[in-house]
């Protein structure tokens, strides 16, 4: 297996790790038996979601240290995919932007559960979760609009990227509606 394949596998493992964190988080949030939806009703969402955020922050730290801090090994291998340092820079730029987008999207997902819980049961937490949802949604939309889009990467994005972007923008509409209500 060549160095380029190892770079791709590392990125896939890190994305899979983020998905694992989100899946476990959602499983915990939906493990309640007191509600028809299965959503936890008796949990301290502020504590639970802060713990989930810590795991996501640890993922971001690992991503930054393992993938983004060192250049791609494909440039050193002389592989057929190597077209010089410009291509390597594009690959690194795409990884940086993807990491930023996925991190903010994950934070938006877990904090949106906290915001919904705060609106229904814990008014004291509304400000905390409102700010978290707003900042994460703005960061997702901004990365797409100002960085990923102008670089031309959206042209090759998967459908799930557009679904995630739509969720972020709809979350902005929701928090805007909450702020004017």
């Amino acid at each position: 297996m060549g160095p380029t394949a190892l770079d791709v596998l590392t990125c896939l493992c890190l994305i899979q790790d983020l998905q694992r964190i989100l899946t476990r988080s959602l499983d915990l949030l939906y493990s309640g038996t007191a509600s028809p939806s299965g959503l936890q009703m008796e949990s301290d969402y502020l504590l639970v979601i802060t713990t989930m955020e810590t795991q996501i922050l640890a993922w971001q730290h690992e991503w930054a240290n393992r993938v983004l801090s060192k250049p791609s090994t494909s440039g050193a291998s002389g592989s057929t995919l190597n077209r010089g340092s410009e291509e390597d820079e594009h690959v690194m730029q795409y990884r940086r932007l993807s990491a930023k987008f996925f991190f903010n999207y994950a934070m938006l997902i877990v904090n949106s559960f906290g915001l919904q819980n705060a609106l229904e049961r814990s008014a004291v937490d509304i400000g905390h979760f409102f700010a978290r949802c707003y900042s994460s949604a703005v960061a997702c939309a901004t990365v797409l609009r100002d960085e990923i889009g102008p670089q031309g990467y959206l042209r090759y994005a998967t459908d799930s990227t557009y679904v995630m972007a739509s969720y972020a923008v709809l979350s902005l509409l929701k928090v805007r509606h909450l702020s004017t209500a």
Side-chain angles (χ1 to χ4, degrees):
M1 197 177 314
T4 304
L6 293 176
D7 286 345
V8 171
L9 288 176
T10 300
C11 291
L12 285 175
C13 288
L14 289 169
I15 290 170
Q16 182 270 335
D17 194 37
L18 178 63
Q19 292 299 318
R20 181 188 53 79
I21 293 167
L22 284 175
T23 301
R24 287 183 179 169
S25 299
L26 294 176
D27 282 347
L28 176 66
L29 292 172
Y30 277 113
S31 64
T33 57
S35 72
S37 68
L39 199 57
Q40 285 284 354
M41 304 294 268
E42 295 83 27
S43 292
D44 179 0
Y45 272 67
L46 185 61
L47 178 64
V48 169
I49 290 176
T50 302
T51 303
M52 293 172 187
E53 284 181 337
T54 302
Q55 293 174 0
I56 295 168
L57 285 166
W59 172 85
Q60 182 193 38
H61 181 73
E62 180 179 358
W63 176 280
N65 284 339
R66 189 178 284 184
V67 176
L68 302 178
S69 63
K70 60 184 177 189
S72 172
T73 56
S74 63
S77 69
S79 70
T80 58
L81 294 176
N82 181 22
R83 293 188 189 121
S85 63
E86 184 178 324
E87 182 174 301
D88 291 340
E89 184 53 40
H90 281 291
V91 170
M92 290 302 294
Q93 180 67 10
Y94 179 74
R95 288 179 184 170
R96 277 190 287 276
L97 296 175
S98 294
K100 189 189 288 189
F101 177 75
F102 288 138
F103 167 76
N104 286 300
Y105 181 74
M107 295 293 274
L108 174 61
I109 291 294
V110 297
N111 281 294
S112 64
F113 281 93
L115 180 60
Q116 191 62 41
N117 180 69
L119 291 170
E120 294 173 3
R121 289 182 277 293
S122 179
V124 73
D125 294 336
I126 290 175
H128 172 80
F129 289 115
F130 179 88
R132 294 284 207 190
C133 286
Y134 178 78
S135 63
S136 296
V138 165
C140 283
T142 303
V143 166
L144 285 171
R145 184 194 69 203
D146 296 344
E147 298 179 65
I148 293 176
Q151 292 288 332
Y153 299 134
L154 273 180
R155 191 174 334 166
Y156 307 105
T158 61
D159 291 344
S160 61
T161 302
Y162 290 101
V163 171
M164 290 184 256
S166 298
Y167 183 79
V169 172
L170 288 173
S171 295
L172 281 174
L173 290 173
K174 180 180 180 179
V175 296
R176 170 122 202 242
H177 174 72
L178 290 174
S179 68
T180 59

